[in-house]
């Protein structure tokens, strides 16, 4: 059983970046809910979201929740801003390139770029709260620039958010060797048991 913690960035009184008629908090929530829904097709995975609606949470509340729950992996979902275009992701800056967190970043990055077809800004490191204060492997994904007209136009379409979410899930499937629930094992007899799936919040 693997425990995946999904953190939709911002929320409530904190909209995150705002541009082109979009608020970051709304888009991060939409992507995160799609990740949750797609992950529920797999067995032996538990999912917890820091929020599943528009509400205010401090960064400490988010990492505390993930730590107490005992997540195996934390994904903090964000949009970028400040002039640029495309996708990048971050892990904690004191981790080596050979760390397990960096190896997971390699896979997540490849799958999200492949599925979303965004400009590749690279795999990065930073001293962000969500990465530093979480006890487990963690990644922060920056899924396009809200202040770029072309990125924003795509972020307004459900199909693009679906692709971003699917990219995250494809990465998780590779990293944790997730298998679809209720499928017949290869060459096997019968049907595998569905995994326990927990929705909270
Ligand atoms: Zn953000």
């Amino acid at each position: 059983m693997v425990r995946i913690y999904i953190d939709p960035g911002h929320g409530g009184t904190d909209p995150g970046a705002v541009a082109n008629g979009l608020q970051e908090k709304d888009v991060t929530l939409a992507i995160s809910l799609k990740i949750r829904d797609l992950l529920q097709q797999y067995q032996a995975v538990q999912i917890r979201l820091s929020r599943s609606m528009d509400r205010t949470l401090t960064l400490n509340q988010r990492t505390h929740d993930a730590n107490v729950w005992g997540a195996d992996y934390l994904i903090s979902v964000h949009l970028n801003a400040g002039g640029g275009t495309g996708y990048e992701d971050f892990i904690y800056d004191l981790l080596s390139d050979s760390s397990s967190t960096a190896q997971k970043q390699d896979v997540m990055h490849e799958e999200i770029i492949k599925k979303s077809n965004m400009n590749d800004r690279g795999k990065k490191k930073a001293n962000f709260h969500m990465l530093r204060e979480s006890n487990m492997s963690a990644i922060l994904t920056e899924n396009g620039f809200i202040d770029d007209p072309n990125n924003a136009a795509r972020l307004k379409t459900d199909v693009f958010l679906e692709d971003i979410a699917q990219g995250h899930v494809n990465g998780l499937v590779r990293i944790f060797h997730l298998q679809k629930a209720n499928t017949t094992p290869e060459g096997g007899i019968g049907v595998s048991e569905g995994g326990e799936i927990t929705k909270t919040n």
Side-chain angles (χ1 to χ4, degrees), residues 10 24 78-79:
H10 311 280
E24 183 181 356
H78 286 257
L79 301 184

Side-chain angles (χ1 to χ4, degrees), residues 97-109:
D97 291 343
S98 60
S99 64
S100 69
T101 299
Q103 291 173 14
K104 291 183 180 73
Q105 181 185 28
D106 290 344
V107 176
M108 293 296 290
H109 187 91

Side-chain angles (χ1 to χ4, degrees), residues 9-10 14-17 24 28 77-80 140-142:
H10 311 280
D14 169 21
E24 183 181 356
T28 62
V77 177
H78 286 257
L79 301 184
N80 227 326
L140 187 146
T141 63
E142 295 274 12

Side-chain angles (χ1 to χ4, degrees), residues 32-49:
S32 297
L33 292 175
K34 288 179 184 299
I35 295 172
R36 180 194 68 184
D37 291 348
L38 290 166
L39 270 182
Q40 284 177 340
Q41 300 170 13
Y42 292 85
Q43 58 181 309
V45 57
Q46 291 183 313
I47 309 148
R48 184 172 173 89
L49 271 66

Side-chain angles (χ1 to χ4, degrees), residues 118-136:
M118 275 189 276
N119 174 47
D120 187 351
R121 295 174 55 86
K123 293 173 282 189
K124 301 185 176 181
K125 297 177 183 177
N127 184 18
F128 292 154
H129 174 100
M130 293 304 300
L131 306 175
R132 185 185 62 246
E133 302 299 331
S134 47
N135 294 341
M136 69 296 304

Side-chain angles (χ1 to χ4, degrees), residues 10-16 23 25 51 53-57 62:
H10 311 280
T13 58
D14 169 21
Q23 296 190 91
K25 66 174 183 177
R51 64 182 181 96
M53 61 181 78
D54 184 21
R55 67 188 184 103
T56 307
L57 285 172
R62 296 167 200 253

